[in-house]
Every structure is written in structure tokens, then in C-alpha cells.
Amino acid sequence: MITDQNSINWKKIFCFKNISLNLVGVALITLALKGFMIPNKFLDGGIIGISILVHEITKWPFGVLVLMFNIPFLVIGNRMLGKTFALQSFLTFLLIAVSMTFLDVDPVTSDPLLIALFGGCLIGVGMGLCIRSGSTADGVEILALLTTKKIGLNVSEVIFALNTLLFLAAAWSFGISTALYSIVTYFSAVKSLDYISHGLEQYTSLHIISSKSDLIKSLIVQKFGKGITIIKGERGYLPDKFDVKLDCDIIVTVVTRLELLRIKEEIRKLDPKAFMFIQYIKEASGGILRSMN
């Protein structure tokens, strides 16, 4: 069924799972900001980092700043990703603003390394949970998508450039040491966000070339319950036997990170000389992605 981006999917917005993920995500973001980062003038990347910087310079309420700076991106998100996403993201921004304004959280520690690692991990996990709920906790990713279409850079390059300017401003305002620790905080957040967003079930494309391809096909399908695709190719072309070539089947299957090691070990038992390579993929859908065992 095709969903109209001009309509709001109220069922998705009021889904208990999405609401729960969003609330837990906002709670972790609030703990990271009030318990670790803001009391020690540490920055994260994106709009939250900009809000912290402006808050420290102007003393304006952080909750008001994070809501105000993110609102313009809702217009972009509404046009690019639909009304449902825009409304969910607005609710996330509003929850962050309210929790940062009215919840009291005592600083957990003043140790810079602990702040950088735990503050970054907490805010990354919180943002990852918000993404899993169908929203975003930071509008900079929407801006990066728009900028990518205009100037041809990819999303990661745009975000890196924006955050480089932010951390330079932090170095100017708070000193080079705090800025460097803020970079550690940012990378902790990014890694945690990526892990939560994709999880242990991040999909990987496994390619196998073997003289025992029929046995390997049966292994992957019958034992592991995975779907396969066969690409017709040629093997050979060795430096000392360049003219020798044989037709072969290149077996392609999509597996999770948890399944990858087991499947590779079983393939090695069938053919120790099998050639395998993997490609990490961001998203996969349809077909047989989960084991039927």
C-alpha cells in the first residue's frame, strides 16, 4: 500500500511502540545534556550543539533554543519526508524542550573523559531510539539531505563540514581543550546512534565464488533459510594461467552481522578455498531476510 505523504498516519504516531521509543530516547537525551554535557560546556554536533553554544553565550533557555532552531527544518522535512515524519519530529523537539526546561538533573561527573564517552553514548542512543520511532531529534540531517541535492556532496560530508564550523566556534568560546573533548563526545554519539539505528541486524551482502557452488547454495538455503541470487560469471585468469577460465556461479545472499560468521565458517568447511567478500548495505527489504529456522 502506498502512503500519501500529504496525509498524516495517525496510527503510526499513536503506536505504543513508537511512543515508548520516543519517550525513552528523549529521557536519555535529557540525561546526557543536563547530567553530563551542558554543566561542563561540552557540545554535540548538529542543532543540539548549536543550541548549547548559543545557550552558553546568551544564557537563553536551552529548551527554547532547541525548539526554535529545529522548527525551520520541519518545513523542509514536511516537503521531503511527509507530514507524518514532520509531526513526529515536532513532538520529539517539543518533548526535548519541555524536559530540558522543567526536569532537574544533577550533574553526574566533572571528569572530561567520562563526560565525552558517557554523554556522547547516551545522546547517541537517545537519538537512535527517536529515529527508530519514526522521527528525528536533530534537524541537521534534514538540512544535509537538502544541501546534498544542491551542491553534490554526500550527507556525511555536509554534516562533517557543518560540525567542523561548530567545533571551531566552540574552541573560540570555550577553549581548545573543551572543543577537542566535544569532538570525542560527537563521535561517541555518532557510533552509538549508528548502532541503535541499525542494530545487531545490520544487513550485509555476502558474495561467494566456489567450485562447490551447488553444495554452498544448498547450505545457505536449506540450513540457514536464506534467499540467494546467482550471478553468472567466469573464474580463472591467474597470472601463470591467464588463458584458463571456467564458467561459475557467483552466489549472493543478504545476512545479518550475527549470521555472517556462522555462514562463513560453514562455507569454509565445504570449500576452504572459496573466495568470499562482503559489502555493507544500509537497508534491505523484501525477499527472505530472516532465517526461517
Side-chain angles (χ1 to χ4, degrees), residues 167-226:
F167 291 126
L168 287 174
W172 180 268
S173 301
F174 306 142
I176 188 65
S177 178
T178 300
L180 291 175
Y181 274 118
S182 295
I183 294 173
V184 177
T185 305
Y186 169 69
F187 279 105
S188 298
V190 168
K191 291 299 180 182
S192 300
L193 188 154
D194 181 66
Y195 185 79
I196 295 299
S197 297
H198 298 98
L200 290 172
E201 292 195 342
Q202 180 177 14
Y203 290 112
T204 300
S205 175
L206 174 63
H207 296 65
I208 309 115
I209 301 174
S210 169
S211 59
K212 300 179 180 179
S213 59
D214 288 338
L215 292 175
I216 294 174
K217 293 174 192 175
S218 178
L219 169 75
I220 295 173
V221 175
Q222 301 298 331
K223 182 172 182 177
F224 291 97
K226 309 300 294 184

Side-chain angles (χ1 to χ4, degrees), residues 222-287:
Q222 301 298 331
K223 182 172 182 177
F224 291 97
K226 309 300 294 184
I228 60 174
T229 299
I230 306 302
I231 302 174
K232 298 297 182 180
E234 291 182 343
R235 59 193 296 261
Y237 299 102
L238 300 175
D240 55 341
K241 298 178 181 179
F242 184 77
D243 294 330
V244 178
K245 57 184 179 180
L246 297 170
D247 293 336
C248 70
D249 290 338
I250 303 172
I251 305 167
V252 182
T253 185
V254 176
V255 299
T256 67
R257 291 189 293 188
L258 291 178
E259 296 169 325
L260 180 61
L261 181 60
R262 291 174 54 213
I263 292 178
K264 287 174 64 178
E265 287 177 347
E266 293 295 328
I267 291 173
R268 290 296 185 197
K269 292 177 183 177
L270 290 177
D271 183 7
K273 295 183 178 180
F275 175 71
M276 292 179 279
F277 67 94
I278 61 176
Q279 292 178 314
Y280 295 104
I281 53 181
K282 289 189 174 182
E283 184 178 354
S285 62

Side-chain angles (χ1 to χ4, degrees), residues 132-200:
R132 285 240 173 184
S133 76
S135 67
T136 182
D138 198 303
V140 73
E141 294 186 4
I142 302 173
L143 176 63
L145 287 171
L146 182 64
T147 309
T148 297
K149 293 183 177 181
K150 298 295 184 181
I151 63 178
L153 297 176
N154 63 43
V155 173
S156 61
E157 290 170 335
V158 174
I159 292 177
F160 179 78
L162 293 172
N163 287 329
T164 297
L165 296 175
L166 177 60
F167 291 126
L168 287 174
W172 180 268
S173 301
F174 306 142
I176 188 65
S177 178
T178 300
L180 291 175
Y181 274 118
S182 295
I183 294 173
V184 177
T185 305
Y186 169 69
F187 279 105
S188 298
V190 168
K191 291 299 180 182
S192 300
L193 188 154
D194 181 66
Y195 185 79
I196 295 299
S197 297
H198 298 98
L200 290 172

Side-chain angles (χ1 to χ4, degrees), residues 33 37-38 41-57 62 65-66 69-70 123 127 137-140 162-163 166-167 169-170 174 182 186:
L33 292 172
M37 295 167 62
I38 290 180
K41 299 182 179 180
F42 274 48
L43 271 67
D44 184 35
I47 299 304
I48 286 181
I50 294 172
S51 300
I52 295 174
L53 183 63
V54 175
H55 166 72
E56 291 298 330
I57 294 173
F62 175 83
L65 289 170
V66 76
F69 288 148
N70 273 305
I123 200 168
M127 287 185 171
D138 198 303
V140 73
L162 293 172
N163 287 329
L166 177 60
F167 291 126
F174 306 142
S182 295
Y186 169 69

